[in-house]
PDB file of all heavy atoms in Angstrom:
ATOM      1  N   SER A 329     128.289  96.466  80.030  1.00 97.00           N
ATOM      2  CA  SER A 329     128.457  97.359  78.945  1.00 97.00           C
ATOM      3  C   SER A 329     127.942  98.693  79.230  1.00 97.00           C
ATOM      4  O   SER A 329     127.281  98.881  80.285  1.00 97.00           O
ATOM      5  CB  SER A 329     127.517  96.857  77.735  1.00 97.00           C
ATOM      6  OG  SER A 329     126.209  96.940  78.014  1.00 97.00           O
ATOM      7  N   GLN A 342     113.645 106.528  86.949  1.00 98.00           N
ATOM      8  CA  GLN A 342     112.104 106.203  86.919  1.00 98.00           C
ATOM      9  C   GLN A 342     111.567 105.845  88.259  1.00 98.00           C
ATOM     10  O   GLN A 342     110.348 106.260  88.686  1.00 98.00           O
ATOM     11  CB  GLN A 342     111.809 105.043  85.938  1.00 98.00           C
ATOM     12  CG  GLN A 342     112.030 105.461  84.460  1.00 98.00           C
ATOM     13  CD  GLN A 342     111.021 106.491  84.132  1.00 98.00           C
ATOM     14  OE1 GLN A 342     109.730 106.604  84.421  1.00 98.00           O
ATOM     15  NE2 GLN A 342     111.456 107.499  83.224  1.00 98.00           N
ATOM     16  N   GLU A 359     105.124 113.259 109.983  1.00 94.00           N
ATOM     17  CA  GLU A 359     106.242 112.590 110.626  1.00 94.00           C
ATOM     18  C   GLU A 359     106.020 111.165 111.036  1.00 94.00           C
ATOM     19  O   GLU A 359     104.902 110.930 111.284  1.00 94.00           O
ATOM     20  CB  GLU A 359     106.810 113.354 111.677  1.00 94.00           C
ATOM     21  CG  GLU A 359     107.499 114.735 111.391  1.00 94.00           C
ATOM     22  CD  GLU A 359     108.026 115.378 112.599  1.00 94.00           C
ATOM     23  OE1 GLU A 359     109.061 114.872 113.014  1.00 94.00           O
ATOM     24  OE2 GLU A 359     107.485 116.439 113.162  1.00 94.00           O
ATOM     25  N   LEU A 399     128.061  95.583  89.988  1.00 97.00           N
ATOM     26  CA  LEU A 399     127.946  96.810  89.312  1.00 97.00           C
ATOM     27  C   LEU A 399     128.994  97.750  90.014  1.00 97.00           C
ATOM     28  O   LEU A 399     129.335  97.663  91.207  1.00 97.00           O
ATOM     29  CB  LEU A 399     126.656  97.501  89.763  1.00 97.00           C
ATOM     30  CG  LEU A 399     126.267  98.731  88.952  1.00 97.00           C
ATOM     31  CD1 LEU A 399     125.803  98.329  87.436  1.00 97.00           C
ATOM     32  CD2 LEU A 399     124.921  99.469  89.540  1.00 97.00           C
ATOM     33  N   ALA A 442     125.900  84.292 106.578  1.00 95.00           N
ATOM     34  CA  ALA A 442     124.854  83.430 106.060  1.00 95.00           C
ATOM     35  C   ALA A 442     123.559  83.697 106.558  1.00 95.00           C
ATOM     36  O   ALA A 442     122.558  83.538 105.767  1.00 95.00           O
ATOM     37  CB  ALA A 442     125.295  81.976 106.412  1.00 95.00           C
ATOM     38  N   PRO A 447     119.060  88.579 103.507  1.00 96.00           N
ATOM     39  CA  PRO A 447     117.858  89.406 103.695  1.00 96.00           C
ATOM     40  C   PRO A 447     118.091  90.945 103.723  1.00 96.00           C
ATOM     41  O   PRO A 447     117.253  91.749 103.359  1.00 96.00           O
ATOM     42  CB  PRO A 447     117.492  88.900 105.116  1.00 96.00           C
ATOM     43  CG  PRO A 447     118.089  87.588 105.194  1.00 96.00           C
ATOM     44  CD  PRO A 447     119.272  87.685 104.487  1.00 96.00           C
ATOM     45  N   ALA A 475     129.061  95.147 126.587  1.00 97.00           N
ATOM     46  CA  ALA A 475     128.523  93.771 126.190  1.00 97.00           C
ATOM     47  C   ALA A 475     129.099  92.799 127.141  1.00 97.00           C
ATOM     48  O   ALA A 475     130.331  92.891 127.558  1.00 97.00           O
ATOM     49  CB  ALA A 475     128.968  93.525 124.757  1.00 97.00           C
ATOM     50  N   PRO A 515     139.811  97.725 127.840  1.00 89.00           N
ATOM     51  CA  PRO A 515     140.529  98.912 128.141  1.00 89.00           C
ATOM     52  C   PRO A 515     139.782 100.296 127.901  1.00 89.00           C
ATOM     53  O   PRO A 515     138.910 100.219 126.946  1.00 89.00           O
ATOM     54  CB  PRO A 515     141.870  98.910 127.390  1.00 89.00           C
ATOM     55  CG  PRO A 515     141.459  98.020 126.265  1.00 89.00           C
ATOM     56  CD  PRO A 515     140.419  96.996 126.840  1.00 89.00           C
ATOM     57  N   GLY A 520     139.293 100.179 123.450  1.00 92.00           N
ATOM     58  CA  GLY A 520     138.410  99.009 124.121  1.00 92.00           C
ATOM     59  C   GLY A 520     137.047  98.904 123.418  1.00 92.00           C
ATOM     60  O   GLY A 520     136.255  98.212 124.085  1.00 92.00           O
ATOM     61  N   THR A 558     113.306 108.078 110.195  1.00 97.00           N
ATOM     62  CA  THR A 558     113.241 108.090 111.700  1.00 97.00           C
ATOM     63  C   THR A 558     114.540 108.356 112.349  1.00 97.00           C
ATOM     64  O   THR A 558     115.688 107.967 111.856  1.00 97.00           O
ATOM     65  CB  THR A 558     112.793 106.868 112.256  1.00 97.00           C
ATOM     66  OG1 THR A 558     113.696 105.764 111.821  1.00 97.00           O
ATOM     67  CG2 THR A 558     111.382 106.603 111.860  1.00 97.00           C
ATOM     68  N   VAL A 575     131.280  91.406 115.714  1.00 98.00           N
ATOM     69  CA  VAL A 575     131.598  91.583 114.282  1.00 98.00           C
ATOM     70  C   VAL A 575     133.109  91.855 114.281  1.00 98.00           C
ATOM     71  O   VAL A 575     133.470  92.908 114.857  1.00 98.00           O
ATOM     72  CB  VAL A 575     130.730  92.483 113.667  1.00 98.00           C
ATOM     73  CG1 VAL A 575     131.214  92.729 112.122  1.00 98.00           C
ATOM     74  CG2 VAL A 575     129.141  92.114 113.702  1.00 98.00           C
ATOM     75  N   ASN A 590     133.197 106.111 106.786  1.00 94.00           N
ATOM     76  CA  ASN A 590     133.673 106.692 105.616  1.00 94.00           C
ATOM     77  C   ASN A 590     132.843 106.622 104.421  1.00 94.00           C
ATOM     78  O   ASN A 590     132.758 107.434 103.582  1.00 94.00           O
ATOM     79  CB  ASN A 590     135.064 106.214 105.408  1.00 94.00           C
ATOM     80  CG  ASN A 590     136.157 106.794 106.297  1.00 94.00           C
ATOM     81  OD1 ASN A 590     136.019 107.918 106.820  1.00 94.00           O
ATOM     82  ND2 ASN A 590     137.179 106.003 106.637  1.00 94.00           N
ATOM     83  N   ARG A 606     118.911 119.441  92.717  1.00 98.00           N
ATOM     84  CA  ARG A 606     117.453 119.660  92.844  1.00 98.00           C
ATOM     85  C   ARG A 606     117.013 121.092  92.966  1.00 98.00           C
ATOM     86  O   ARG A 606     116.209 121.697  92.364  1.00 98.00           O
ATOM     87  CB  ARG A 606     116.795 118.734  93.788  1.00 98.00           C
ATOM     88  CG  ARG A 606     115.297 118.947  93.959  1.00 98.00           C
ATOM     89  CD  ARG A 606     114.469 118.200  92.902  1.00 98.00           C
ATOM     90  NE  ARG A 606     113.082 118.483  93.051  1.00 98.00           N
ATOM     91  CZ  ARG A 606     112.305 117.741  93.801  1.00 98.00           C
ATOM     92  NH1 ARG A 606     112.785 116.712  94.577  1.00 98.00           N
ATOM     93  NH2 ARG A 606     111.042 117.963  93.921  1.00 98.00           N
ATOM     94  N   PRO A 674     143.476  96.751  88.354  1.00 96.00           N
ATOM     95  CA  PRO A 674     144.288  95.585  88.188  1.00 96.00           C
ATOM     96  C   PRO A 674     145.753  95.678  88.818  1.00 96.00           C
ATOM     97  O   PRO A 674     146.373  94.731  88.981  1.00 96.00           O
ATOM     98  CB  PRO A 674     144.354  95.318  86.650  1.00 96.00           C
ATOM     99  CG  PRO A 674     144.049  96.732  86.128  1.00 96.00           C
ATOM    100  CD  PRO A 674     143.068  97.400  87.027  1.00 96.00           C
ATOM    101  N   HIS A 705     121.040 126.380  98.383  1.00 97.00           N
ATOM    102  CA  HIS A 705     119.627 126.375  98.655  1.00 97.00           C
ATOM    103  C   HIS A 705     119.331 127.703  99.203  1.00 97.00           C
ATOM    104  O   HIS A 705     118.140 128.315  98.901  1.00 97.00           O
ATOM    105  CB  HIS A 705     119.257 125.404  99.684  1.00 97.00           C
ATOM    106  CG  HIS A 705     119.066 124.081  99.095  1.00 97.00           C
ATOM    107  ND1 HIS A 705     118.108 123.852  98.250  1.00 97.00           N
ATOM    108  CD2 HIS A 705     119.672 122.856  99.246  1.00 97.00           C
ATOM    109  CE1 HIS A 705     118.005 122.646  97.720  1.00 97.00           C
ATOM    110  NE2 HIS A 705     119.127 122.005  98.412  1.00 97.00           N
ATOM    111  N   ARG A 750     145.309 114.595 111.037  1.00 95.00           N
ATOM    112  CA  ARG A 750     145.725 113.305 110.681  1.00 95.00           C
ATOM    113  C   ARG A 750     146.028 113.133 109.207  1.00 95.00           C
ATOM    114  O   ARG A 750     147.138 112.545 108.834  1.00 95.00           O
ATOM    115  CB  ARG A 750     144.498 112.408 111.104  1.00 95.00           C
ATOM    116  CG  ARG A 750     144.428 112.164 112.610  1.00 95.00           C
ATOM    117  CD  ARG A 750     143.364 111.124 112.821  1.00 95.00           C
ATOM    118  NE  ARG A 750     141.961 111.740 112.824  1.00 95.00           N
ATOM    119  CZ  ARG A 750     141.341 112.340 113.905  1.00 95.00           C
ATOM    120  NH1 ARG A 750     141.839 112.470 114.903  1.00 95.00           N
ATOM    121  NH2 ARG A 750     140.053 112.876 113.707  1.00 95.00           N
ATOM    122  N   VAL A 764     148.782 116.692  95.859  1.00 98.00           N
ATOM    123  CA  VAL A 764     149.288 117.925  95.166  1.00 98.00           C
ATOM    124  C   VAL A 764     149.927 117.355  93.739  1.00 98.00           C
ATOM    125  O   VAL A 764     149.758 118.068  92.728  1.00 98.00           O
ATOM    126  CB  VAL A 764     150.489 118.497  95.995  1.00 98.00           C
ATOM    127  CG1 VAL A 764     151.266 119.471  95.185  1.00 98.00           C
ATOM    128  CG2 VAL A 764     149.962 119.100  97.214  1.00 98.00           C
ATOM    129  N   ALA A 788     149.373 127.925  91.624  1.00 98.00           N
ATOM    130  CA  ALA A 788     149.698 129.062  92.629  1.00 98.00           C
ATOM    131  C   ALA A 788     148.990 128.710  93.930  1.00 98.00           C
ATOM    132  O   ALA A 788     149.632 128.767  95.036  1.00 98.00           O
ATOM    133  CB  ALA A 788     149.430 130.277  92.181  1.00 98.00           C
ATOM    134  N   LEU A 812     145.568 123.308 115.852  1.00 97.00           N
ATOM    135  CA  LEU A 812     144.299 122.856 115.191  1.00 97.00           C
ATOM    136  C   LEU A 812     143.049 123.789 115.399  1.00 97.00           C
ATOM    137  O   LEU A 812     141.995 123.414 114.978  1.00 97.00           O
ATOM    138  CB  LEU A 812     143.924 121.364 115.754  1.00 97.00           C
ATOM    139  CG  LEU A 812     144.879 120.358 115.326  1.00 97.00           C
ATOM    140  CD1 LEU A 812     144.630 119.011 116.049  1.00 97.00           C
ATOM    141  CD2 LEU A 812     144.807 119.939 113.729  1.00 97.00           C
ATOM    142  N   ALA A 849     123.736 120.381  73.415  1.00 97.00           N
ATOM    143  CA  ALA A 849     124.896 119.845  73.843  1.00 97.00           C
ATOM    144  C   ALA A 849     125.983 120.981  73.919  1.00 97.00           C
ATOM    145  O   ALA A 849     126.801 121.091  74.908  1.00 97.00           O
ATOM    146  CB  ALA A 849     125.330 118.794  72.931  1.00 97.00           C
ATOM    147  N   TRP A 866     135.851 133.904  91.213  1.00 98.00           N
ATOM    148  CA  TRP A 866     135.058 134.385  92.474  1.00 98.00           C
ATOM    149  C   TRP A 866     135.372 133.562  93.694  1.00 98.00           C
ATOM    150  O   TRP A 866     135.510 134.047  94.838  1.00 98.00           O
ATOM    151  CB  TRP A 866     133.576 134.352  92.118  1.00 98.00           C
ATOM    152  CG  TRP A 866     133.079 135.429  91.284  1.00 98.00           C
ATOM    153  CD1 TRP A 866     133.309 135.591  89.975  1.00 98.00           C
ATOM    154  CD2 TRP A 866     132.126 136.401  91.614  1.00 98.00           C
ATOM    155  NE1 TRP A 866     132.617 136.654  89.428  1.00 98.00           N
ATOM    156  CE2 TRP A 866     131.910 137.233  90.489  1.00 98.00           C
ATOM    157  CE3 TRP A 866     131.450 136.831  92.788  1.00 98.00           C
ATOM    158  CZ2 TRP A 866     131.058 138.287  90.381  1.00 98.00           C
ATOM    159  CZ3 TRP A 866     130.486 137.900  92.718  1.00 98.00           C
ATOM    160  CH2 TRP A 866     130.412 138.551  91.573  1.00 98.00           C
TER     161      TRP A 866
END
Side-chain angles (χ1 to χ4, degrees):
S329 64
Q342 286 299 317
E359 291 186 70
L399 195 70
T558 54
V575 177
N590 285 329
R606 170 77 181 277
H705 276 296
R750 286 187 282 271
V764 171
L812 291 172
W866 287 65

